[in-house]
Amino acid sequence: MKVKVVINGITFCEEISPNTTLLEFIKEKAGLTGTKTGCENGECGACTVIMNGKPVRSCIILAAEAHGAIITTVEGLAEKDKLHPLQQSFIRKGAVQCGFCTPGMLMAAKALYDRNPAPSQKDIEEALSGHLCRCTGYKPIKEAIEDAFNSHYN
Amino acid sequence: MSNSYIGKSIPRMESFEKVTGIAKYVHDMALPGMLYAKILTSPHAHARIVSIDKSEAEKLPGVKAVLVGSELPYKLGLYLIDKDILAKGKVRYQGEAVAAVAAESEEIARRAIELIKVEYEPLTPVFDPVEAIQEDAPLVHEDLGSYDYMKGVFNPIAGTNIANHFKLRKGDVEKGFKDSYRIFENEYTMPQVNHVPLETHAVIAEWTKSGRINIYTSAQSPFAVRNLMSIAFKIPHSKIHVRVPYVGGGFGGKAGIHLEPLAACLSKKAGGRPVKIVASREEEFNTIPSRQGLTARIKTGVSEEGRVLAQEIVYYWDAGAYADYGVNIGRASGYSGAGPYEIENVKLDSYTIYTNHPFGTAYRGFGHVEFFWAIERQMDIIARELGIDPYEFRMKNLLKPGSITITGEKIRENTGRVDKCLKTVVEAIEWGEQKTEEEKQEEFKKGKVTGKGFAVLHKAPAMPTFTSCSAIIKFNEDGSVNVVVSGVDYGQGTYTALAQIAAEVLKMPIEKVHMVWECDTDTGPYDWQTVASRFTFMGGNAIIKAAHDAIDQMKEVASAVLRAPKDELEIGNEKIYVKHNPDEFLTYREVAMGYTYPNGNSIGGPIIGRGKYIAQGLTNLDPETGQGLPALDWTYGAHAVEIEVDVRTGELELKKVVSAFDVGKVVNKLLCEGQVVGGVVQGIGTSLYEGFVYTPDGRLLTNSFTDYKIPTSKDIPDVVEPLFVETPQLDGPFGARGVAEHPMISVHAAIGNAIYNAIGVDIMELPITSERIWRAIKEKERRDQRAKTLKG
Ligand code: FES
Ligand code: FES
């Protein structure tokens, strides 16, 4: 079957088998390897991308379901050479260690960022729920997200 | 240039790559013509392989190679060579790899796996390490006696399940017990747990027809992979090329050797096409090794004033089905296994025992997370029974300058101060006045009870005496440098710290120091393994030497050009200048590739600094007494926690964790704090949630994130506070010591001690689940009730 998806502003129209996941589509068909695979079971959040404005776990969505969708991956987060405020604060706050959870964390945070200019601690917690990180202990990630909001909106 | 880089909070230098998705991990890589492999695993914990029929799988279109153990005449292992690439003759744990397929696509490989038929004849399994050393226990490795191992260091006992018996004898425990006022005997246990790196193990290997093996792997130790393959396959080292790009977390689990040999053998069978294996999350839990389990028995004799006079310790390690790496965990926990205490009489036996569980390997803390659960709970129990404050009790017994450790090492002024760490954290939680019995009752009635607790820890790098590493600093045409090392930075931030050290010594801006990211055994300098929190220490020292070597070469050239003796030259601001006349100088750039005089004559040549470091003065330990010098350096630390327990449900809330480590010198505060917070939270996982659970016949139930919970962002305490003590390590780079593993050690014991402090129950088994706390509360209520009735 043929599936058309717009990823980071570029249209990909590809022939795929019906059981291809969106994650496989992004990594293998679109060649965007920034999105990560941690469990292939919807349980770790590493594969999170933004689909039509909402964060989704691309490993449990079929590419066919994403037909016609607009998708942003971590590669689409920076504008030209300018890093997104979230990317900047992740660096500043040491929210990145091995970096394997980072793309998913960033996309979850970005979805929050886009819909809620003043999130509470609880909103941030909610956005990160089900996103696993084994390195940082989450504290720097939460701080980075808070910091990005503060520096951007204040 | 601004002042020193040492002590500065510089963000990880590779952060940009990681926040933009540029960083490539093995998971993300593909080579032309690459095949995909899948593994068939054993459904039995212990069974004889009667037959394997792979003919149907081989017939499936797209299948390029099918392998079973009998085709692979190799054995592998780090310290004890006991591992097959695929099970041979029998399977030793459920989840063990039995056969593997390489095919044009993952889908085909998966289908081919289903077509392989294996007939098993179940054998009696053994799961409990204490049972496994009974005389009539089924043997996991009948051929243990014929295995090769590191002689003089390990002690496998043929005809048993004991892969290693480490013995330590100091003083006379019998006499110590005789002199004791009281004796305490307890048993503590900890289950196996998994590292859970977010990136599962992944490898791409090709075994070309020309006889070379090329590998990309998510390994912590590229040179160890090369060395062990060279030994197993009898291929020269120069023909094996191991490369390590970005790695998504390791924690010890990617040290040693894992899927690399299997991928290489599949490639060979498939005619040399590259083969990629990525462990599924289930395989990461069930097939790839985890942390060993531990049953610890401790008998402690104390004087009336609270001095520990004698301690008899037995560690029974549940090594699982293989112990190639595990034997060294038993050894490392043996020589430091009484904790950072000065005890005159110690008898310690550490048995690494084969069972039919998935096997164990290095995991952050390397045995110390396990045994400190026992040691630090035991210390609290003793203090309270003696009616001594647990802080005072520890202070009386902790190692101090002048103390002798259990292996006979003398602690010096600059070894590090565990007492200062403990004092720091105890003050931070305002330990002191205890609640009265009435206040406790009152709290209990309200349903929520608070408590405080603490625990100390120590650890030295666990490594062979000959562990070495090296570094190369290559100057570039523009006067910047490329620093090449072969330890892997899989998230710890070591490369950033090393760049700071290089910039500091070379007196140049850190922006001009490029750490070469991909590790490469063909071009990189040797490094033993990236484990044991030793990389900053040893790598840092090697880099300092390499920098001095480069500086010396540049001075050589400058001396001729500036017509000044070498010892009158100084460096600074990327220049070599004459001490008493700084206007007379050459820039690094002018000498980097050789200096050219105005008339065209040239001298010097490309500047390449080399540096090396080998652990100095370490000795093998006496096989009977364990005496000797095993430790490069000791990092000490302590944690203190505040908790609240809901007495109706047993639910525990961790309110605050304060941790202090004597790191010698904080090279980069941001990164050090990151290591501590991350390690503490990983330690919270081990304390409260994590642990392998099996069916009675040894099938792992906790092999997914649904059944094996690690801490999430909701589970972390409001306050996690990292603090540092700085007692400079004389031979450390700028006085620094490693602190990668230590934050994870003893978190559980601090929590366990706080639980007693809160509600008066002793938890002896990990993890400390709400259910366990609730049961303990009920048990205590029953006991108290009975006591009341008897009295009445
Ligand atoms: S890979 Fe999709 S949630 Fe883990
Ligand atoms: S940074 Fe390694 S998993 Fe989050």
Side-chain angles (χ1 to χ4, degrees):
Chain A
M1 65 193 300
K2 226 179 174 77
V3 165
K4 191 172 109 183
V5 184
V6 179
I7 307 177
N8 306 332
I10 298 169
T11 306
F12 293 88
C13 199
E14 302 284 338
E15 192 61 45
I16 57 161
S17 70
N19 57 2
T20 306
T21 63
L22 178 57
L23 175 62
E24 287 164 338
F25 188 94
I26 292 169
K27 295 195 83 163
E28 286 154 31
K29 297 289 174 186
L32 295 165
T33 56
T35 305
K36 297 289 171 261
T37 315
C39 69
E40 293 182 289
N41 209 15
E43 294 176 307
C44 76
C47 64
T48 301
V49 299
I50 298 177
M51 178 162 123
N52 298 331
K54 286 205 186 70
V56 297
R57 310 209 156 186
S58 61
C59 71
I60 47 167
I61 290 185
L62 289 175
E65 294 171 62
H67 182 66
I70 311 265
I71 285 170
T72 312
T73 70
V74 70
E75 289 94 339
L77 196 48
E79 263 175 54
K80 296 233 175 73
D81 289 339
K82 192 159 160 36
L83 291 183
H84 189 276
L86 280 163
Q87 290 172 310
Q88 294 175 21
S89 65
F90 265 59
I91 295 178
R92 220 173 31 243
K93 289 284 169 187
V96 182
Q97 287 195 21
C98 79
F100 209 76
C101 70
T102 310
M105 292 281 182
L106 279 169
M107 297 325 280
K110 151 95 165 131
L112 175 67
Y113 193 94
D114 287 348
R115 66 166 190 271
N116 185 350
S120 62
Q121 283 267 0
K122 215 168 162 261
D123 294 329
I124 294 178
E125 206 123 273
E126 216 36 63
L128 292 185
S129 88
H131 280 264
L132 300 180
C133 173
R134 192 55 150 176
C135 303
T136 65
Y138 304 100
K139 245 185 94 183
I141 296 178
K142 287 192 197 170
E143 284 167 11
I145 296 174
E146 279 167 28
D147 208 49
F149 279 94
N150 293 340
S151 55
H152 189 65
Y153 289 106
N154 294 338
Chain B
M1 194 177 92
S2 62
N3 44 25
S4 175
Y5 282 115
I6 304 301
K8 277 244 172 83
S9 282
I10 295 174
R12 274 185 183 66
M13 50 201 317
E14 78 288 6
S15 303
F16 189 98
E17 274 73 9
K18 288 177 176 171
V19 299
T20 50
I22 294 172
K24 290 254 182 308
Y25 302 74
V26 178
H27 268 239
D28 306 325
M29 295 170 53
L31 297 181
M34 192 175 84
L35 301 171
Y36 298 84
K38 290 281 165 208
I39 298 169
L40 177 68
T41 59
S42 160
H44 299 284
H46 199 191
R48 200 166 70 79
I49 300 173
V50 179
S51 66
I52 304 182
D53 178 1
K54 55 175 183 158
S55 54
E56 291 300 313
E58 276 168 334
K59 273 187 231 149
L60 191 72
V63 170
K64 297 294 162 196
V66 183
L67 271 182
V68 298
S70 56
E71 298 171 74
L72 302 168
Y74 314 112
K75 275 238 183 281
L76 283 139
L78 187 62
Y79 296 112
L80 166 66
I81 304 188
D82 67 354
K83 276 197 304 196
D84 296 313
I85 296 173
L86 292 167
K88 241 185 280 179
K90 69 174 193 170
V91 290
R92 297 183 170 90
Y93 68 99
Q94 179 266 324
E96 178 165 13
V98 174
V101 172
E104 296 287 355
S105 74
E106 278 186 69
E107 187 51 42
I108 298 172
R110 203 171 293 130
R111 265 189 286 139
I113 284 293
E114 284 167 16
L115 296 174
I116 301 173
K117 291 182 213 71
V118 188
E119 196 190 321
Y120 296 98
E121 179 195 308
L123 300 168
T124 310
V126 59
F127 300 119
D128 182 90
V130 180
E131 276 169 32
I133 54 170
Q134 304 309 316
E135 232 162 74
D136 52 350
L139 288 183
V140 181
H141 289 261
E142 293 82 354
D143 299 333
L144 176 57
S146 68
Y147 294 169
D148 207 1
Y149 62 96
M150 199 185 270
K151 306 269 162 34
V153 180
F154 297 104
N155 178 25
I157 302 176
T160 74
N161 284 318
I162 300 171
N164 185 45
H165 177 197
F166 176 87
K167 274 191 253 183
L168 186 133
R169 306 286 182 261
K170 183 192 175 201
D172 180 350
V173 272
E174 287 318 319
K175 179 170 181 306
F177 286 130
K178 230 180 264 146
D179 296 344
S180 292
Y181 163 67
R182 281 191 64 182
I183 291 172
F184 299 88
E185 267 189 274
N186 289 301
E187 181 174 305
Y188 306 84
T189 62
M190 171 170 171
Q192 292 171 285
V193 293
N194 188 256
H195 310 75
V196 193
L198 250 273
E199 177 205 35
T200 58
H201 286 63
V203 58
I204 302 172
E206 79 182 331
W207 191 327
T208 67
K209 289 199 171 132
S210 63
R212 282 188 66 80
I213 302 179
N214 299 314
I215 293 178
Y216 286 95
T217 175
S218 65
Q220 279 176 230
S221 311
F223 278 93
V225 170
R226 189 178 77 157
N227 188 40
L228 299 183
M229 283 181 81
S230 165
I231 295 168
F233 296 149
K234 301 194 172 58
I235 290 182
H237 288 80
S238 59
K239 291 205 165 178
I240 304 173
H241 185 188
V242 181
R243 274 171 284 190
V244 178
Y246 285 93
V247 178
F251 315 111
K254 290 173 180 170
I257 191 160
H258 297 280
L259 297 170
E260 297 88 354
L262 177 59
C265 291
L266 282 167
S267 168
K268 187 177 190 189
K269 190 150 191 205
R273 285 174 69 176
V275 172
K276 182 173 187 177
I277 311 180
V278 176
S280 67
R281 185 53 64 183
E282 183 180 334
E283 286 162 351
E284 190 70 24
F285 280 113
N286 213 153
T287 301
I288 305 268
S290 292
R291 196 198 277 289
Q292 302 184 141
L294 174 67
T295 299
R297 290 188 184 153
I298 304 185
K299 179 178 170 189
T300 314
V302 282
S303 73
E304 200 169 352
E305 308 73 52
R307 273 289 294 169
V308 177
L309 300 182
Q311 199 156 42
E312 188 173 330
I313 300 172
V314 190
Y315 292 139
Y316 302 94
W317 294 96
D318 178 0
Y322 298 93
D324 81 301
Y325 210 145
V327 289
N328 200 35
I329 298 168
R331 173 180 166 271
S333 316
Y335 65 66
S336 55
Y341 296 102
E342 180 165 38
I343 306 172
E344 210 162 300
N345 306 295
V346 179
K347 175 169 184 259
L348 187 152
D349 292 275
S350 180
Y351 297 99
T352 305
I353 302 163
Y354 287 128
T355 68
N356 293 111
H357 281 151
F359 64 111
T361 191
Y363 180 9
R364 199 174 198 172
F366 205 69
H368 294 59
V369 169
E370 300 87 314
F371 78 70
F372 266 108
W373 166 241
I375 292 292
E376 282 300 275
R377 288 288 294 120
Q378 176 85 345
M379 287 297 162
D380 246 53
I381 292 173
I382 296 172
R384 130 190 136 216
E385 292 294 316
L386 292 178
I388 303 178
D389 181 284
Y391 171 65
E392 299 302 329
F393 176 68
R394 283 187 179 78
M395 281 304 192
K396 272 187 215 282
N397 290 287
L398 284 176
L399 293 172
K400 303 174 192 53
S403 302
I404 303 292
T405 69
I406 60 171
T407 70
E409 179 188 346
K410 189 165 171 195
I411 296 298
R412 299 178 195 280
E413 212 44 67
N414 286 88
T415 310
R417 296 294 293 266
V418 63
D419 53 340
K420 284 191 187 167
C421 296
L422 180 60
K423 185 160 184 279
T424 306
V425 298
V426 162
E427 281 171 5
I429 58 159
E430 293 169 3
W431 176 259
E433 277 301 291
Q434 296 298 315
K435 287 178 248 174
T436 63
E437 217 28 64
E438 289 73 56
E439 284 167 337
K440 278 192 187 168
Q441 292 297 339
E442 209 37 50
E443 257 193 328
F444 215 91
K445 273 188 217 132
K446 286 202 195 111
K448 295 226 175 172
V449 186
T450 60
K452 295 177 182 179
F454 44 84
V456 296
L457 62 106
H458 71 172
K459 186 180 178 298
M463 55 191 204
T465 53
F466 49 78
T467 299
S468 65
C469 84
S470 45
I472 296 171
I473 298 184
K474 295 195 298 176
F475 267 83
N476 299 315
E477 293 89 325
D478 60 359
S480 66
V481 295
N482 282 9
V483 179
V484 199
V485 289
S486 296
V488 179
D489 187 336
Y490 41 94
Q492 327 87 304
T494 320
Y495 277 21
T496 307
L498 293 179
Q500 286 173 262
I501 290 173
E504 182 74 18
V505 180
L506 290 167
K507 302 207 174 136
M508 65 195 288
I510 195 162
E511 294 72 28
K512 293 199 173 170
V513 176
H514 169 60
M515 297 297 299
V516 174
W517 201 268
E518 189 181 276
C519 290
D520 184 325
T521 55
D522 264 14
T523 55
Y526 177 79
D527 192 314
W528 171 67
Q529 286 216 77
T530 325
V531 294
S533 318
R534 53 165 278 283
F535 189 27
T536 306
F537 187 107
M538 296 189 69
N541 277 333
I543 282 179
I544 291 174
K545 289 192 179 145
H548 284 303
D549 184 29
I551 292 167
D552 192 62
Q553 293 172 40
M554 291 195 292
K555 282 187 177 169
E556 188 92 43
V557 179
S559 161
V561 178
L562 302 175
R563 297 191 190 92
K566 240 162 94 180
D567 57 4
E568 283 181 20
L569 297 176
E570 268 310 345
I571 59 157
N573 283 324
E574 301 170 76
K575 291 182 187 117
I576 312 115
Y577 59 88
V578 180
K579 239 189 259 178
H580 52 271
N581 184 6
D583 292 337
E584 284 288 305
F585 67 84
L586 289 181
T587 62
Y588 286 0
R589 187 185 178 137
E590 283 173 287
V591 294
M593 297 294 138
Y595 179 80
T596 304
Y597 287 97
N599 75 349
N601 285 168
S602 299
I603 59 165
I607 305 292
I608 302 174
R610 17 166 235 156
K612 58 191 176 199
Y613 190 82
I614 189 158
Q616 200 248 316
L618 302 190
T619 65
N620 289 336
L621 303 178
D622 184 285
E624 290 308 316
T625 65
Q627 299 299 298
L629 183 63
L632 181 65
D633 63 322
W634 291 97
T635 304
Y636 297 103
H639 301 281
V641 303
E642 294 182 20
I643 60 159
E644 187 175 85
V645 181
D646 185 325
V647 293
R648 284 160 304 205
T649 61
E651 244 161 87
L652 180 142
E653 194 191 330
L654 247 182
K655 299 210 156 289
K656 183 174 186 177
V657 182
V658 189
S659 313
F661 303 92
D662 192 343
V663 297
K665 172 79 195 163
V666 177
V667 174
N668 182 325
K669 188 142 180 272
L670 181 72
L671 299 185
C672 267
E673 289 184 347
Q675 281 290 304
V676 174
V677 175
V680 165
V681 171
Q682 206 167 12
I684 292 172
T686 298
S687 307
L688 304 182
Y689 316 112
E690 299 176 36
F692 277 6
V693 180
Y694 296 94
T695 61
D697 59 351
R699 244 179 354 94
L700 182 65
L701 290 170
T702 44
N703 61 7
S704 74
F705 285 136
T706 313
D707 300 309
Y708 187 99
K709 295 279 181 225
I710 67 168
T712 69
S713 62
K714 291 201 174 106
D715 303 319
I716 63 171
D718 297 335
V719 181
V720 183
E721 197 181 338
L723 299 169
F724 299 103
V725 171
E726 294 185 314
T727 311
Q729 174 78 21
L730 292 183
D731 51 354
F734 296 95
R737 299 185 192 92
V739 69
E741 300 169 275
H742 309 78
M744 195 178 174
I745 305 170
S746 284
V747 175
H748 43 29
I751 297 174
N753 295 340
I755 292 174
Y756 189 90
N757 180 254
I759 53 175
V761 304
D762 276 313
I763 306 286
M764 311 296 266
E765 290 165 83
L766 285 174
I768 312 169
T769 56
S770 306
E771 191 193 322
R772 232 169 223 154
I773 298 175
W774 183 81
R775 279 182 198 288
I777 294 171
K778 290 290 146 209
E779 178 62 27
K780 179 177 187 299
E781 282 173 357
R782 256 194 307 277
R783 264 200 326 264
D784 291 353
Q785 197 53 45
R786 200 173 320 129
K788 238 191 240 161
T789 330
L790 284 180
K791 245 199 248 161

